[in-house]
Amino acid sequence: MGKGTDKLYITHSEWSSEDAFSASAGSGIRSKESNAAFRRLPFNYCAVSLQPFEHPVCSSNGTTFDLANIIPWIEKHGTNPIDGTPLKSTDLIKLNFTKNEDDDYIDPVTFKVFTENTHIVALNNTGNVFAYDTVQRLNIKAKMWRDLVSNEEFSRKDIITIQDPQNVDSRNISSFKYKQDGVSTLTKEQELERNDPARNVNKSALGNAARVLKAKEAVELARSKRNSSDPNHNPALPSKSNGGNSNSISRSMQTSKAVPFNAARHTTGKAAQSFTSTGYTPHTAAERALLTDEEYMLQPKRVKQKGYARISTNHGDLNIELRPEFAPHAVWNFVQLAKKGYYNGLVFHRNIRSFMIQGGDPTGTGRGGQSIWGKNFNDEFEGPVTHDTRGVVSMANKGKNTNSSQFFIIYRPAKHLDRKHTIFGQVVGGLDTLSRLENVPVSDSDKRPIDDIEMKEVAIFVDPFEEFQKAKREQDEAEREKEEIKRQGGTEDDRTTWTGKRIRADGTVAAGTEDGVEGVGKYLKAAQSSNNGLVEEDEIVEEWDEVPEEPVKKKAKTGGFGNFDNW
């Protein structure tokens, strides 16, 4: 029963040993130190300041520092603050971390986010940081000793471990030498700020005495600004920093971002992608996708300007009115193909009296044709237009969503074609030409004209999309001008009050007008200046020697009873 013996009992020394679990073991007999003071340094923290680094560097043993904190330490001590070994600034290795859109550190090859459980390594010769799994699978096992980012050669000795989840003691803050020795890592400025007694006082508990300290701090701050800033600075005027703070506060209070004009109704789908696959960078926000200029214009009811085109045939001209409001893709396809000269020289391969005439196929068989995008595009049936009149222009197709380059013009109403073919135009000129085309002789078998009806040229007179873009540019230019005027303080009327006083850029009202002349109002001032410009004759006041005549007294009326004064 005893340790290493056949005794049937355990001695006191065996019971109170280090590897025993007894009441005596907790009274200071164990020499093994407790791990209660363990604190782990994150991989993205500086080992000196214990704060996230901005300019990461590391030593040969993989300890990470911030360049702004380790350089003053080396200049003062010349040692490694972690283990006390000699350290020079030339021994530091600059680390090149990769971040994703969410500002998280990731592996540059697999795009996986680094966590506290990730085995992170860096290469000594390049400073690029990878996950150890990536280096092991793509470099060590594949025996391809080249940097996966810069393609530079390296060896196994160049691999430096930044963080090893199996060896957490290497990043134990309590084991750092400068922590055990109690050496301060603060700079001179930080020490002066910490030793300032005014900063170590709880002002909220001082009552009225806190006002005196605040007044002293305000005076010191004003002196420092006066000494370091422009000598022409006027402390009575509001500073730019205050204005900037108010702007930043107002911006921070805004809960939603402005939606771009070309924002789509659907999202980018990155949140769903990252949720279902670990190969994508994690996204938690559902951001709206942005449309291109073409996609933005081809939205229904976006472009409402009508376009006009002319189809010149060997029997006359047809003037077509294009309607992009409800069929933007069909009109865009027709306009762009016409500008390319796609329809020039083609023939109408099908002509049925009292029904329609069809063309737009380069092969002339009715089985060819290609849209401007190189593939078929979808039908557009959202508009109220129907095949209810002669001269309606529609897209020909082979079924649902198979529009290409072929189109047809009907000779009479054909209601059975509604919601089967996309209507994008109407013949508004050349109806006599349309009648001549209807009367062209055709073969009985395939209804093909015996004599070719050729489209000599399809010319675009008014492109509705160019007009829309022009109007959009003018509107954007006008908005930019308004923003520029607003940024400069507004127009002349906006910078002047109704009393004629000038409004400064900071919002205060000047004591007088711009030229320093006091006045009641800008309109009185303008009237005064206009009166001063007129040349008037001098007035001559004559003297009167004669005594002015007294007015003749009116005689009292006689007759009647009078006022009875003589009674």
Side-chain angles (χ1 to χ4, degrees):
M1 186 173 181
K3 294 182 179 180
T5 65
D6 55 354
K7 294 184 295 183
L8 300 178
Y9 60 91
I10 298 176
T11 62
H12 177 73
S13 59
E14 293 173 345
W15 183 258
S16 61
S17 60
E18 292 183 0
D19 55 350
F21 294 90
S22 64
S24 302
S27 59
I29 296 178
R30 289 187 182 182
S31 60
K32 187 177 181 179
E33 296 181 356
S34 175
N35 200 25
F38 175 80
R39 286 192 302 165
R40 182 177 180 178
L41 180 70
F43 72 92
N44 60 332
Y45 273 54
C46 172
V48 176
S49 64
L50 305 182
Q51 298 294 326
F53 51 62
E54 296 181 359
H55 307 285
V57 294
C58 75
S59 59
S60 57
N61 59 357
T63 306
T64 55
F65 304 99
D66 193 310
L67 187 64
N69 297 320
I70 190 60
I71 291 299
W73 175 276
I74 294 177
E75 291 178 354
K76 185 177 181 179
H77 301 280
T79 60
N80 190 329
I82 306 304
D83 53 12
T85 58
L87 181 64
K88 298 180 181 179
S89 59
T90 55
D91 298 334
L92 299 176
I93 303 170
K94 180 184 177 182
L95 299 179
N96 300 320
F97 279 89
T98 305
K99 289 187 176 182
N100 59 8
E101 297 177 356
D102 296 332
D103 206 32
D104 296 328
Y105 292 104
I106 61 173
D107 182 274
V109 179
T110 61
F111 300 105
K112 290 186 178 181
V113 179
F114 290 158
T115 63
E116 61 180 7
N117 297 320
T118 305
H119 192 172
I120 305 173
V121 296
L123 300 184
N124 188 9
N125 56 341
T126 62
N128 294 327
V129 182
F130 303 92
Y132 181 73
D133 294 340
T134 303
V135 176
Q136 185 181 24
R137 287 188 292 107
L138 301 180
N139 292 116
I140 299 176
K141 288 186 176 181
K143 297 183 179 180
M144 196 276 293
W145 299 98
R146 285 187 175 273
D147 192 308
L148 298 174
V149 175
S150 61
N151 202 28
E152 297 183 17
E153 293 186 359
F154 69 95
S155 61
R156 188 184 291 269
K157 297 180 181 179
D158 294 328
I159 301 177
I160 302 175
T161 301
I162 302 298
Q163 175 181 264
D164 186 3
Q166 303 298 330
N167 184 21
V168 294
D169 291 335
S170 61
R171 303 188 69 83
N172 185 7
I173 299 177
S174 59
S175 64
F176 292 170
K177 189 176 187 306
Y178 78 92
K179 282 288 186 181
Q180 296 176 352
D181 297 343
V183 180
S184 175
T185 59
L186 300 177
T187 61
K188 294 182 179 179
E189 293 79 6
Q190 293 174 343
E191 291 180 355
L192 292 175
E193 182 178 357
R194 179 168 293 186
N195 295 330
D196 187 3
R199 298 183 181 273
N200 298 327
V201 177
N202 185 9
K203 299 177 183 178
S204 60
L206 293 180
N208 295 332
R211 300 179 181 177
V212 179
L213 295 179
K214 290 182 180 179
K216 289 183 178 180
E217 291 180 359
V219 172
E220 293 177 359
L221 182 61
R223 288 177 180 175
S224 62
K225 285 185 177 180
R226 184 173 64 251
N227 295 334
S228 59
S229 62
D230 186 10
N232 297 325
H233 172 70
N234 187 358
L237 297 177
S239 61
K240 295 181 180 180
S241 60
N242 295 337
N245 292 337
S246 61
N247 293 336
S248 62
I249 293 173
S250 61
R251 284 194 295 267
S252 63
M253 293 174 64
Q254 297 177 358
T255 57
S256 60
K257 297 186 296 184
V259 179
F261 74 94
N262 58 343
R265 294 183 179 180
H266 58 275
T267 63
T268 58
K270 293 182 178 180
Q273 290 175 352
S274 62
F275 181 75
T276 56
S277 175
T278 58
Y280 291 95
T281 303
H283 285 269
T284 58
E287 300 175 355
R288 296 176 65 175
L290 298 181
L291 302 176
T292 62
D293 293 340
E294 179 179 333
E295 294 173 342
Y296 175 74
M297 285 193 303
L298 298 186
Q299 295 297 314
K301 301 181 182 180
R302 181 80 67 191
V303 180
K304 298 183 179 180
Q305 297 93 331
K306 295 181 179 180
Y308 295 92
R310 182 184 63 193
I311 302 177
S312 300
T313 69
N314 52 355
H315 291 273
D317 296 338
L318 295 173
N319 295 329
I320 309 296
E321 181 184 74
L322 304 175
R323 300 169 179 175
E325 182 176 0
F326 300 106
H329 288 84
V331 175
W332 175 269
N333 177 67
F334 181 83
V335 169
Q336 298 304 317
L337 290 178
K339 287 184 176 181
K340 288 175 55 179
Y342 184 87
Y343 294 116
N344 297 344
L346 302 186
V347 298
F348 288 97
H349 60 273
R350 192 179 179 200
N351 187 15
I352 303 175
R353 188 189 300 270
S354 299
F355 182 33
M356 62 87 188
I357 182 172
Q358 181 177 345
D361 179 12
T363 64
T365 62
R367 299 182 180 89
Q370 193 177 39
S371 69
I372 192 64
W373 299 284
K375 60 181 181 179
N376 296 336
F377 59 94
N378 296 340
D379 298 323
E380 296 169 302
F381 299 143
E382 295 185 6
V385 291
T386 58
H387 298 83
D388 58 351
T389 183
R390 179 181 176 89
V392 172
V393 185
S394 299
M395 294 298 300
N397 56 43
K398 305 173 186 177
K400 184 178 180 181
N401 299 328
T402 57
N403 302 288
S404 57
S405 63
Q406 297 188 39
F407 62 94
F408 63 89
I409 306 173
I410 62 174
Y411 291 134
R412 69 172 186 177
K415 300 293 291 183
H416 65 282
L417 300 179
D418 292 345
R419 305 198 65 80
K420 294 181 181 178
H421 297 271
T422 301
I423 301 174
F424 68 93
Q426 172 72 43
V427 176
V428 294
L431 294 177
D432 54 341
T433 301
L434 190 63
S435 299
R436 288 193 294 270
L437 296 179
E438 186 179 6
N439 295 324
V440 171
V442 298
S443 61
D444 295 335
S445 58
D446 55 359
K447 301 299 180 181
R448 186 182 182 90
I450 297 175
D451 297 329
D452 288 342
I453 303 176
E454 182 183 356
M455 287 186 286
K456 295 181 179 180
E457 182 186 11
V458 178
I460 304 298
F461 289 143
V462 178
D463 187 349
F465 301 100
E466 288 185 356
E467 298 295 327
F468 175 80
Q469 292 176 344
K470 181 179 178 181
K472 185 71 170 59
R473 287 193 297 267
E474 293 177 354
Q475 181 181 359
D476 294 342
E477 185 65 25
E479 290 179 357
R480 283 194 295 268
E481 291 179 357
K482 289 182 180 179
E483 291 294 333
E484 182 65 21
I485 293 174
K486 185 177 180 181
R487 188 183 64 83
Q488 294 178 359
T491 60
E492 186 68 24
D493 291 339
D494 295 336
R495 295 194 297 266
T496 309
T497 65
W498 70 276
T499 59
K501 295 183 179 180
R502 192 77 169 178
I503 302 177
R504 298 190 182 98
D506 56 0
T508 59
V509 180
T513 56
E514 186 176 2
D515 53 2
V517 180
E518 298 289 341
V520 176
K522 59 179 181 180
Y523 304 106
L524 295 179
K525 177 185 174 183
Q528 182 181 359
S529 61
S530 62
N531 293 334
N532 293 337
L534 299 177
V535 179
E536 298 180 355
E537 296 181 359
D538 296 338
E539 294 183 358
I540 300 176
V541 181
E542 298 181 358
E543 297 182 359
W544 293 82
D545 296 336
E546 299 178 359
V547 179
E549 297 181 356
E550 295 182 359
V552 180
K553 295 182 178 179
K554 295 181 180 181
K555 296 181 179 180
K557 294 182 180 181
T558 58
F561 294 101
N563 55 4
F564 301 100
D565 290 339
N566 297 327
W567 280 31

